[in-house]
Every structure is written in C-alpha cells, then in structure tokens.
Amino acid sequence: MTDWRPPLALIGAWLGLLALLALTVTLAYVPLGAGNAVVALTIGTIKAGLVATIFMELWHRRGLTLVFAGAGLFWLGILLYLGSMDFLTRT
Amino acid sequence: MPDSSAVAPQYASIPHRDHTAELGMWVFIATEVLLFGGLILAYFVYRHAFPQGFAEGSRHTEIVIGTANTAVLLTSSFLVAWAIEIFSPATIRIVTWLLIGAACLGLLFIVLKGIEYSKEYDEHLVPGIDFLFAGPLANGVQLFFIFYFIATAIHALHMLIGICLLITLATLCRKAPTTRHHAALHSAALYWHFVDVAWIFLFALIYLPGRSAS
C-alpha cells in the first residue's frame, strides 16, 4: 500500500507554527515597550521562513529557484528601506 | 504517473516544464510580495506618525478570532503541503479529501472574518460607512481601520481565489491524476502558502500591537 502519511518534517513545521502562534500572542501581553513590535515581527518572520522552507519546499531547491524566490524579498527590501527612510529621518 | 498529452515544444522534458511553471509562480509571488509590501509600507509610515492611535485601534480588533483564523490558515497550508507530498494515482482519494479539507478551512477563515467585520460595524469602526470614535486618538484609529479593512479585504479576495483553485484542482484530478495535474496543484499550493505568509504578517501588524498596555 502506498504511504499516505505526511512526512515528519511537515508535521514538525505545522506544530512549530502553531507553537510560535501561541508564543507570539502570549508575548504580546507582556509589557516590553518597543520590544513588543520587535518580538511580534521577529516571530512573524520565523513563521514565514518555516512556511517558505518547508511548505513551499525551498529547503530542497537550489540555484535558479532560490534566485527567483529571493527576487521578491530583494525588491521588498528596497521598497521598505527607501520608502521609510524619509519618514524615519525627518526632524 | 500517466501523462496523456505530449510536452509542449518549448520544453525538453516533463521536469523542465514543471520547473518552468514553478519559476513562473515565484515571479508572480514576487509581484504579490510587492502588492502587500506597499500596504505594509503605508502601515509603517502611518504607525510611525500615529503610534498611540494605531495601538488603540489594534486593541479594538478581535484577537481571539484573529488567532483562531491564523491557526486555521496554518493548518490549511499543512493539508495542502501534505497533499502535494503524497500525490499519486494510488493516493488520489486522500489527496482529494485533503484539498477539500484545506478549501473548507479557507471558507471557515472567510466566515470568521465576516463575523469580525460585523462586530466592527456594530462598534462603529468602519471608516467611510459608520465610524464613531471620540477623543484625541480618533485620527490615528481611523487610519488604522482604513488599513485594516483594505489589507484584510485584499487578503480575503486572495483567499477566495485560492479556495476556487483548490476545489477546481481537487475536482479535475480526482479520477485520473497526471503529471500536469501535479504541476498545476504545485503552483496553486505555492500561491496558497504565500497567502498564508501574507496573513502571518498582517496578523502581527493588526492584532498584536498595544496589547500589553490594555
């Protein structure tokens, strides 16, 4: 019989994502000042990284696929960096 | 896995065709990253200008529904990734059910979002339609809710498209799955996971700020 069970990596990623969700909601209620935003975005980035590497299979990809997947991030970086500089440096 | 039709002349082989489809999907996702990126940039600019208004607005969102919806979406992504992983003629019944399960979770997300919108309408928090918020933070709160409704509505539209894709592919491949079905499903899965990633960031920006001060 063909194996229909999900690979352990998928189950691990799914449970990890749910655990990170619980963690980020819990930490949102802990007073950390400006640290709350940093924690929320850091955990969000880790969750996005898990989805991209495991669910979107980037862990098993090499070369051209990673370049194509990274292109979006590269342009997002330019958008956010150049777009926010004006507002962050205004006096 | 059988493949009824020959590979189009521009491709040397089936893996070549599938790899091209995957790269094409990543190009599309890059454009989507910039679509949501523009929204998120606007969010940061306005949050920088109205930090307390954004924290106050965030405290008025339904964090229980937002958290439940995040769990629903993550689970839905897991089911789709599982379906892709075991895709074969022998497992096609299970694959079909996994895809339908993922689409149902997507619909549950939309229903919960609708309940959330109706609660916000009852609380007079819908700018342009019914917005009543007194006090010095009103401007910031209003900007927060403008971002909230535009971003979540665009995200919900992506969800609806994804649900249609999953149901269509589950229907198409349920009898005689081919490598073409697998390639199409793989592209749809990448899209579905991207919609998940977009929500992960929207969740962190919409629901979490300002909670520790409440």
Side-chain angles (χ1 to χ4, degrees):
Chain A
M1 182 178 162
T2 312
D3 200 359
W4 54 268
R5 290 170 299 181
L8 278 181
L10 282 188
I11 299 174
W14 175 50
L15 294 178
L17 284 165
L18 292 180
L20 284 169
L21 171 63
L23 180 69
T24 195
V25 173
T26 308
L27 288 178
Y29 286 90
V30 179
L32 300 170
N36 280 115
V38 177
V39 167
L41 286 175
T42 305
I43 294 179
T45 306
I46 295 170
K47 282 158 75 184
L50 269 176
V51 173
T53 51
I54 310 290
F55 288 175
M56 296 169 102
E57 303 174 4
L58 284 182
W59 185 258
H60 301 292
R61 297 292 184 272
R62 292 289 173 268
L64 207 53
T65 312
L66 293 186
V67 172
F68 273 63
L73 276 187
F74 175 72
W75 287 107
L76 177 69
I78 291 178
L79 174 73
L80 292 181
Y81 179 74
L82 292 184
S84 56
M85 266 312 104
D86 176 27
F87 299 96
L88 294 179
T89 54
R90 274 189 202 181
T91 51
Chain B
M1 217 171 336
D3 198 347
S4 52
S5 56
V7 178
Q10 67 268 35
Y11 303 120
S13 61
I14 289 173
H16 183 206
R17 177 198 66 190
D18 294 355
H19 188 227
T20 308
E22 186 175 1
L23 290 185
M25 202 59 207
W26 276 110
V27 172
F28 173 69
I29 288 174
T31 69
E32 290 281 70
V33 165
L34 292 178
L35 170 70
F36 282 96
L39 280 170
I40 287 172
L41 173 63
Y43 171 93
F44 281 132
V45 168
Y46 285 125
R47 182 169 165 178
H48 181 68
F50 301 93
Q52 288 156 336
F54 266 54
E56 180 66 18
S58 177
R59 277 194 290 275
H60 280 80
T61 57
E62 303 286 336
I63 193 165
V64 175
I65 295 182
T67 307
N69 257 349
T70 311
V72 164
L73 212 46
L74 292 171
T75 306
S76 169
S77 254
F78 165 67
L79 294 187
V80 172
W82 181 359
I84 292 281
E85 197 67 41
I86 65 165
F87 190 95
S88 79
T91 55
I92 198 63
R93 274 180 66 88
I94 299 166
V95 167
T96 307
W97 281 112
L98 286 173
L99 295 178
I100 289 173
C104 287
L105 286 175
L107 282 173
L108 175 63
F109 179 98
I110 299 286
V111 169
L112 288 172
K113 198 85 215 122
I115 293 171
E116 203 179 347
Y117 279 178
S118 76
K119 281 180 178 242
E120 277 134 11
Y121 180 75
D122 290 342
E123 291 174 31
H124 311 285
L125 290 172
V126 188
I129 296 175
D130 182 10
F131 189 84
L132 289 173
F133 197 93
L137 299 177
N139 284 344
V141 173
Q142 187 164 12
L143 274 171
F144 172 86
F145 274 99
I146 289 172
F147 168 82
Y148 165 83
F149 279 107
I150 290 177
T152 55
I154 289 177
H155 181 267
L157 180 65
H158 280 78
M159 292 284 301
L160 288 174
I161 294 168
I163 291 165
C164 292
L165 282 173
L166 291 178
I167 292 174
T168 305
L169 287 168
T171 311
L172 284 178
C173 67
R174 78 184 195 283
K175 289 218 171 98
T178 66
T179 59
R180 287 168 69 89
H181 290 133
H182 183 260
L185 185 58
H186 193 262
S187 294
L190 283 179
Y191 172 82
W192 192 248
H193 298 317
F194 165 75
V195 174
D196 194 2
V197 168
W199 179 258
I200 286 172
F201 285 107
L202 289 182
F203 174 73
L205 297 176
I206 288 171
Y207 296 89
L208 300 181
R211 296 286 165 188
S212 59
S214 59

